[in-house]
Amino acid sequence: MSKPFTPKVVTANALLEGDVVYLTADDQWSRQLADAEVIEDLAHGDLRLLDGSSQPDVVVGVYLIDVALEDGIPQPTHFREEFRTRGPSNYNHGKQAELF
């Protein structure tokens, strides 16, 4: 018996900046996970993965991640993806520099 499909989003890294980005329903890349298109079935997930992978001049390392919906907003279910939403682990640059 196959395991049930869990909601997913397409993620990658922006080619020029290296930031984590998420594919939106209108084929744009957003740095906010809340903007990502939530994929509810495997076939659609495969298509969206191909859509994201067809933009090598914009993003690299395209893949699907599991998410859980909390109040309709996707949240990562794996530590690695939670960590990626926070930006670089070096506090002197990137998203985290704005916090200090």
Side-chain angles (χ1 to χ4, degrees):
M1 177 180 228
S2 65
K3 123 182 170 174
F5 186 82
T6 57
K8 301 190 184 322
V9 301
V10 177
T11 187
N13 289 90
L15 181 63
L16 297 179
E17 302 88 7
D19 289 347
V20 175
V21 291
Y22 305 95
L23 189 60
T24 65
D26 61 352
D27 292 326
Q28 301 297 311
W29 292 97
S30 172
R31 285 165 174 74
Q32 303 301 317
L33 179 56
D35 297 337
E37 175 187 17
V38 177
I39 299 164
E40 299 286 347
D41 84 9
L42 182 60
H44 186 66
D46 289 343
L47 288 174
R48 297 304 283 154
L49 191 58
L50 287 172
D51 291 340
S53 297
S54 71
Q55 301 176 42
D57 56 332
V58 178
V59 294
V60 295
V62 180
Y63 64 99
L64 292 170
I65 65 168
D66 291 339
V67 295
L69 292 176
E70 293 180 13
D71 297 324
I73 299 171
Q75 300 296 321
T77 60
H78 190 276
F79 169 76
R80 177 178 190 259
E81 301 309 326
E82 173 68 28
F83 189 75
R84 288 180 76 233
T85 64
R86 297 182 192 147
S89 57
N90 179 330
Y91 288 99
N92 297 326
H93 59 81
K95 297 176 197 175
Q96 294 160 325
E98 298 167 7
L99 300 174
F100 298 98

